[in-house]
Amino acid sequence: MSALFASGHAVDIVLAVMLVEMIVLIVLRSKAATIIVAFLPGALILLAVRAALTGAGWQWIALALAASFPAHIADMRRRGL
């Protein structure tokens, strides 16, 4: 089990499930832009977690985290918050 996390594959599984969920929602609701904006912040944070688990440089972790913030703000504005 520790190898699953150390390799980052645990995050890959979560990202794959999110991708399937996103595709299903797009097919059912056909509001692709809205759904992508909702999923993007979480996906970027998961990429930062994967980078940290696999020993990537701090720059990659910081880049993914920094990119998640404007994506989060865009999602909040879309929701009217």
Side-chain angles (χ1 to χ4, degrees):
M1 187 63 117
S2 65
L4 182 68
F5 284 90
S7 66
H9 292 311
V11 175
D12 294 340
I13 292 168
V14 174
L15 285 169
V17 169
M18 283 179 65
L19 180 63
V20 169
E21 181 183 7
M22 189 173 69
I23 290 169
V24 168
L25 288 173
I26 289 171
V27 168
L28 293 176
R29 297 186 183 177
S30 71
K31 295 182 179 180
T34 300
I35 293 168
I36 291 169
V37 169
F39 275 83
L40 191 58
L44 289 166
I45 290 172
L46 282 170
L47 289 175
V49 169
R50 188 184 195 293
L53 287 173
T54 59
W58 67 266
Q59 299 91 341
W60 292 108
I61 300 166
L63 179 65
L65 287 175
S68 72
F69 182 68
H72 175 66
I73 296 299
D75 183 36
M76 297 296 285
R77 292 194 69 197
R78 179 191 61 83
R79 295 175 192 237
L81 300 173

